[in-house]
Amino acid sequence: MENNNRTSIPFIIYLIPLFFSVAVSLVLNQAYYNFQTSVFSNENTLLFVNNKIAGFIIFFSPAIMIACIILRIKNYVSIKIMKIKIFSFITILTFVISVFILVGQFFEYTDINKEVIHVRNGLFFTDRNYIWDDVAYAEVSYESGNKGKIDIIYNIYLNDGTKINVRNSNDFFSKIVNLDNFMKDKKIKINRKTIQSKDYTSIENTYNNNKKGKDISDTMQVVLQILNGQNINK
């Protein structure tokens, strides 16, 4: 029993920085998004959409680098690449690739505002501006995700075939009602998959945060608004 405790202590200690990296990653992801919006959005922005690839990089890269640093300290493997120990090499490579991708992804976004829909696909690509007459229609639906959770889908389709997945926005639930109402005022066709009675419980379990009360949460009200087209002021 004593031996088991001794061997388990180092393992627990090494897990602490990994858990810490997750918390840091969540903060960095929001800071990255906020910085993007501060640079590229304006006062007329209805919704800002970035690419989720940046979020994955920010989430996984610190954990990979910390794990490699721990393995390097423990010196489990003596293999070298270009005279650098393999785990040090992986740490450096992960950092360089992550920075390169994050810089590129910083310039990949869609700014949906009252005048135009501004689309940029990366650092070295030209911008595209669409007026609202270029919007063919929008589509709102839902599907079952992992562990019975319901995923909301909200796409805007443009006349040239471009599809904008506005659900990727970090501000989706706080700003989608204003965008939805704006498109209704613009007489843009919005195809909605209304909530089926058999799915309502699953949707409520996913999005109703007021578990102890009878009132539905703000997030659940947004879901009702965009799926059923109910007029809810937000």
Coordinates of all heavy atoms in Angstrom, one line a residue, residues 182-229:
F182 N -32.7 41.5 -37.5 CA -32.3 42.3 -38.5 C -32.6 41.7 -39.9 O -33.0 42.4 -40.8 CB -30.8 42.6 -38.4 CG -30.2 43.5 -39.4 CD1 -30.2 44.9 -39.3 CD2 -29.5 42.9 -40.5 CE1 -29.7 45.7 -40.3 CE2 -29.0 43.7 -41.5 CZ -29.1 45.1 -41.4
M183 N -32.3 40.4 -40.0 CA -32.6 39.7 -41.3 C -34.0 39.6 -41.6 O -34.5 39.7 -42.7 CB -31.9 38.3 -41.3 CG -30.4 38.4 -41.4 SD -29.6 36.8 -41.8 CE -30.0 35.9 -40.3
K184 N -34.9 39.5 -40.5 CA -36.3 39.5 -40.8 C -36.8 40.8 -41.3 O -37.6 40.9 -42.2 CB -37.0 39.1 -39.5 CG -37.0 37.6 -39.1 CD -37.9 37.2 -38.0 CE -37.5 37.8 -36.7 NZ -38.4 37.3 -35.6
D185 N -36.2 41.9 -40.7 CA -36.5 43.2 -41.2 C -36.1 43.4 -42.6 O -36.7 44.2 -43.4 CB -35.9 44.3 -40.3 CG -36.5 44.3 -38.9 OD1 -37.6 43.8 -38.7 OD2 -35.8 44.8 -38.0
K186 N -35.0 42.8 -43.0 CA -34.5 42.8 -44.4 C -35.3 41.9 -45.4 O -35.0 41.9 -46.6 CB -33.0 42.5 -44.5 CG -32.1 43.5 -43.9 CD -31.9 44.7 -44.8 CE -30.9 45.6 -44.3 NZ -30.7 46.8 -45.3
K187 N -36.3 41.2 -44.8 CA -37.1 40.3 -45.6 C -36.3 39.1 -46.2 O -36.6 38.6 -47.3 CB -37.9 41.0 -46.8 CG -38.6 42.3 -46.3 CD -39.7 41.9 -45.3 CE -40.5 43.2 -44.9 NZ -41.5 42.9 -43.9
I188 N -35.3 38.8 -45.5 CA -34.5 37.6 -45.9 C -35.2 36.3 -45.5 O -35.6 36.2 -44.3 CB -33.0 37.7 -45.3 CG1 -32.3 38.9 -45.9 CG2 -32.3 36.4 -45.6 CD1 -31.0 39.2 -45.3
K189 N -35.2 35.4 -46.3 CA -35.9 34.1 -46.0 C -35.1 33.3 -45.0 O -33.9 33.1 -45.2 CB -36.1 33.3 -47.3 CG -36.8 32.0 -47.0 CD -37.0 31.2 -48.3 CE -37.7 29.9 -48.1 NZ -37.8 29.1 -49.3
I190 N -35.7 32.9 -43.9 CA -35.1 32.1 -42.9 C -35.8 30.8 -42.7 O -37.0 30.8 -42.3 CB -35.0 32.9 -41.5 CG1 -34.3 34.2 -41.7 CG2 -34.3 32.0 -40.5 CD1 -34.3 35.0 -40.4
N191 N -35.2 29.7 -43.1 CA -35.8 28.4 -43.0 C -35.5 27.9 -41.6 O -34.3 27.7 -41.2 CB -35.2 27.4 -44.0 CG -35.5 27.9 -45.5 OD1 -36.6 28.4 -45.7 ND2 -34.6 27.6 -46.4
R192 N -36.6 27.6 -40.9 CA -36.4 27.2 -39.5 C -36.9 25.7 -39.3 O -38.0 25.4 -39.7 CB -37.2 28.1 -38.5 CG -36.8 29.6 -38.7 CD -37.6 30.4 -37.7 NE -37.5 31.8 -38.0 CZ -36.5 32.6 -37.5 NH1 -35.5 32.1 -36.8 NH2 -36.4 33.9 -37.9
K193 N -36.1 25.0 -38.5 CA -36.6 23.7 -38.1 C -37.2 23.8 -36.7 O -36.5 24.0 -35.7 CB -35.4 22.7 -38.0 CG -35.8 21.3 -37.5 CD -34.6 20.4 -37.5 CE -34.9 19.0 -37.0 NZ -33.8 18.1 -36.9
T194 N -38.5 23.9 -36.7 CA -39.2 24.1 -35.4 C -38.9 22.9 -34.5 O -38.7 21.8 -34.9 CB -40.7 24.3 -35.6 OG1 -41.2 23.1 -36.3 CG2 -41.0 25.5 -36.4
I195 N -39.0 23.2 -33.2 CA -38.7 22.2 -32.2 C -39.8 21.1 -32.2 O -41.0 21.4 -32.0 CB -38.5 22.8 -30.8 CG1 -37.4 23.8 -30.8 CG2 -38.3 21.7 -29.7 CD1 -37.2 24.6 -29.5
Q196 N -39.4 19.9 -32.3 CA -40.4 18.8 -32.2 C -40.6 18.4 -30.7 O -39.7 18.6 -29.9 CB -39.8 17.6 -32.9 CG -39.5 17.8 -34.4 CD -40.7 18.2 -35.2 OE1 -41.8 17.6 -35.2 NE2 -40.6 19.3 -35.9
S197 N -41.8 18.0 -30.4 CA -42.1 17.8 -29.0 C -41.2 16.7 -28.4 O -40.8 16.8 -27.2 CB -43.6 17.3 -28.9 OG -43.8 16.2 -29.7
K198 N -40.8 15.7 -29.2 CA -40.0 14.6 -28.7 C -38.5 15.1 -28.4 O -37.8 14.5 -27.6 CB -39.9 13.5 -29.7 CG -39.3 13.8 -31.0 CD -39.3 12.7 -32.0 CE -38.7 13.0 -33.3 NZ -37.3 13.3 -33.2
D199 N -38.2 16.3 -28.9 CA -36.8 16.8 -28.7 C -36.7 17.9 -27.7 O -35.6 18.3 -27.3 CB -36.3 17.3 -30.1 CG -36.1 16.3 -31.1 OD1 -35.8 15.1 -30.8 OD2 -36.4 16.6 -32.3
Y200 N -37.9 18.4 -27.2 CA -37.9 19.6 -26.4 C -37.1 19.3 -25.1 O -36.4 20.2 -24.6 CB -39.3 20.0 -26.1 CG -39.4 21.3 -25.3 CD1 -39.4 22.5 -26.1 CD2 -39.4 21.4 -24.0 CE1 -39.5 23.7 -25.4 CE2 -39.4 22.6 -23.3 CZ -39.4 23.8 -24.0 OH -39.5 25.0 -23.4
T201 N -37.3 18.1 -24.5 CA -36.6 17.8 -23.2 C -35.1 17.8 -23.4 O -34.4 18.4 -22.5 CB -37.1 16.5 -22.7 OG1 -38.5 16.5 -22.4 CG2 -36.4 16.1 -21.4
S202 N -34.6 17.3 -24.5 CA -33.2 17.2 -24.7 C -32.6 18.7 -24.9 O -31.6 19.0 -24.4 CB -32.9 16.4 -26.0 OG -33.2 15.1 -25.8
I203 N -33.4 19.5 -25.6 CA -33.0 20.9 -25.9 C -33.0 21.6 -24.5 O -32.0 22.4 -24.2 CB -33.9 21.6 -26.9 CG1 -33.7 21.0 -28.3 CG2 -33.6 23.1 -26.9 CD1 -34.6 21.5 -29.3
E204 N -34.0 21.4 -23.7 CA -34.1 22.1 -22.4 C -32.9 21.6 -21.5 O -32.3 22.5 -20.8 CB -35.4 21.8 -21.8 CG -35.7 22.7 -20.5 CD -37.1 22.5 -20.0 OE1 -37.5 21.3 -20.0 OE2 -37.7 23.5 -19.5
N205 N -32.6 20.3 -21.5 CA -31.5 19.8 -20.7 C -30.2 20.4 -21.2 O -29.2 20.6 -20.3 CB -31.4 18.3 -20.8 CG -32.6 17.6 -20.1 OD1 -33.2 18.2 -19.2 ND2 -32.9 16.4 -20.4
T206 N -30.0 20.7 -22.4 CA -28.8 21.3 -23.0 C -28.7 22.8 -22.7 O -27.6 23.2 -22.3 CB -28.7 21.0 -24.5 OG1 -28.8 19.6 -24.8 CG2 -27.4 21.5 -25.0
Y207 N -29.7 23.5 -22.9 CA -29.6 25.0 -22.9 C -30.3 25.7 -21.7 O -30.1 26.9 -21.6 CB -30.1 25.5 -24.2 CG -29.3 25.1 -25.4 CD1 -29.8 24.1 -26.2 CD2 -28.0 25.6 -25.6 CE1 -29.0 23.7 -27.3 CE2 -27.3 25.2 -26.7 CZ -27.8 24.2 -27.5 OH -27.0 23.7 -28.6
N208 N -31.1 25.0 -20.9 CA -31.8 25.7 -19.8 C -30.9 25.6 -18.6 O -30.8 24.6 -18.0 CB -33.2 25.1 -19.5 CG -33.9 25.9 -18.5 OD1 -33.5 27.0 -18.2 ND2 -35.0 25.4 -18.0
N209 N -30.2 26.7 -18.2 CA -29.3 26.7 -17.1 C -30.0 26.9 -15.8 O -29.4 26.8 -14.7 CB -28.3 27.8 -17.3 CG -27.5 27.6 -18.6 OD1 -27.1 26.5 -18.9 ND2 -27.2 28.7 -19.3
N210 N -31.3 27.3 -15.8 CA -32.0 27.5 -14.5 C -32.6 26.2 -14.0 O -33.7 25.9 -14.1 CB -33.1 28.5 -14.7 CG -32.6 29.9 -15.1 OD1 -31.4 30.2 -14.9 ND2 -33.4 30.8 -15.6
K211 N -31.7 25.4 -13.5 CA -32.1 24.0 -13.2 C -33.0 24.0 -12.0 O -33.9 23.1 -11.9 CB -30.8 23.2 -12.8 CG -29.8 23.1 -13.9 CD -30.4 22.4 -15.2 CE -29.3 22.2 -16.2 NZ -29.8 21.6 -17.5
K212 N -32.9 24.9 -11.1 CA -33.7 24.9 -9.8 C -35.0 25.7 -9.9 O -35.8 25.6 -9.0 CB -32.8 25.4 -8.6 CG -31.6 24.5 -8.4 CD -30.8 25.1 -7.2 CE -29.6 24.2 -6.9 NZ -28.8 24.7 -5.7
G213 N -35.1 26.5 -10.9 CA -36.3 27.3 -11.0 C -37.2 26.9 -12.2 O -36.8 26.2 -13.1
K214 N -38.4 27.5 -12.3 CA -39.3 27.2 -13.4 C -39.0 28.1 -14.6 O -39.4 27.8 -15.7 CB -40.7 27.4 -12.9 CG -41.2 26.4 -11.8 CD -42.6 26.6 -11.4 CE -43.1 25.6 -10.4 NZ -44.5 25.8 -10.0
D215 N -38.4 29.3 -14.3 CA -38.1 30.2 -15.5 C -37.0 29.6 -16.3 O -36.0 29.0 -15.8 CB -37.7 31.5 -14.9 CG -38.8 32.2 -14.2 OD1 -39.9 31.9 -14.5 OD2 -38.4 33.1 -13.3
I216 N -37.1 29.8 -17.6 CA -36.1 29.3 -18.5 C -35.0 30.3 -18.6 O -35.2 31.5 -18.4 CB -36.7 29.0 -19.9 CG1 -37.2 30.2 -20.6 CG2 -37.7 27.9 -19.9 CD1 -37.7 30.0 -22.0
S217 N -33.8 29.8 -18.9 CA -32.6 30.7 -19.0 C -32.6 31.6 -20.2 O -33.4 31.3 -21.2 CB -31.4 29.8 -19.0 OG -31.3 29.1 -20.2
D218 N -31.8 32.6 -20.2 CA -31.6 33.4 -21.4 C -31.2 32.6 -22.6 O -31.7 32.9 -23.7 CB -30.6 34.5 -21.1 CG -31.1 35.5 -20.1 OD1 -32.3 35.6 -19.9 OD2 -30.3 36.3 -19.6
T219 N -30.3 31.7 -22.4 CA -29.9 30.8 -23.5 C -31.0 30.0 -24.1 O -31.2 30.0 -25.4 CB -28.7 29.9 -23.1 OG1 -27.7 30.6 -22.5 CG2 -28.2 29.1 -24.3
M220 N -31.8 29.5 -23.3 CA -33.0 28.7 -23.8 C -34.0 29.6 -24.5 O -34.6 29.2 -25.5 CB -33.7 28.0 -22.6 CG -34.8 27.1 -23.0 SD -34.3 25.7 -24.0 CE -35.9 24.9 -24.3
Q221 N -34.1 30.8 -24.0 CA -35.0 31.8 -24.7 C -34.5 32.1 -26.1 O -35.3 32.2 -27.1 CB -35.2 33.1 -23.9 CG -35.9 32.9 -22.6 CD -36.9 34.0 -22.3 OE1 -37.3 34.7 -23.2 NE2 -37.2 34.2 -21.1
V222 N -33.2 32.2 -26.2 CA -32.6 32.5 -27.6 C -32.9 31.3 -28.5 O -33.2 31.5 -29.7 CB -31.1 32.7 -27.4 CG1 -30.4 32.7 -28.8 CG2 -30.8 34.0 -26.7
V223 N -32.7 30.1 -28.0 CA -33.0 28.9 -28.8 C -34.4 28.9 -29.3 O -34.7 28.6 -30.4 CB -32.7 27.6 -28.0 CG1 -33.1 26.4 -28.7 CG2 -31.2 27.5 -27.7
L224 N -35.4 29.2 -28.4 CA -36.8 29.3 -28.8 C -37.0 30.3 -29.9 O -37.8 30.1 -30.8 CB -37.7 29.6 -27.6 CG -37.7 28.5 -26.5 CD1 -38.5 29.0 -25.3 CD2 -38.3 27.2 -27.0
Q225 N -36.3 31.5 -29.7 CA -36.5 32.6 -30.7 C -36.0 32.1 -32.1 O -36.8 32.4 -33.0 CB -35.6 33.8 -30.2 CG -35.3 34.8 -31.3 CD -36.4 35.7 -31.6 OE1 -37.3 35.9 -30.7 NE2 -36.4 36.4 -32.7
I226 N -34.8 31.6 -32.2 CA -34.3 31.3 -33.5 C -34.9 30.1 -34.2 O -34.9 30.0 -35.4 CB -32.8 31.3 -33.5 CG1 -32.3 30.2 -32.6 CG2 -32.2 32.6 -33.0 CD1 -30.7 30.0 -32.5
L227 N -35.3 29.1 -33.4 CA -35.9 27.9 -33.9 C -37.4 28.0 -34.3 O -37.8 27.6 -35.3 CB -35.6 26.7 -33.0 CG -34.2 26.1 -33.0 CD1 -34.1 25.0 -31.9 CD2 -33.8 25.6 -34.3
N228 N -38.1 28.6 -33.3 CA -39.5 28.7 -33.5 C -40.0 30.1 -34.0 O -41.1 30.3 -34.4 CB -40.3 28.4 -32.2 CG -40.2 27.0 -31.8 OD1 -39.9 26.1 -32.7 ND2 -40.4 26.7 -30.6
G229 N -39.0 31.0 -34.1 CA -39.4 32.3 -34.6 C -40.2 33.2 -33.7 O -40.9 34.1 -34.1

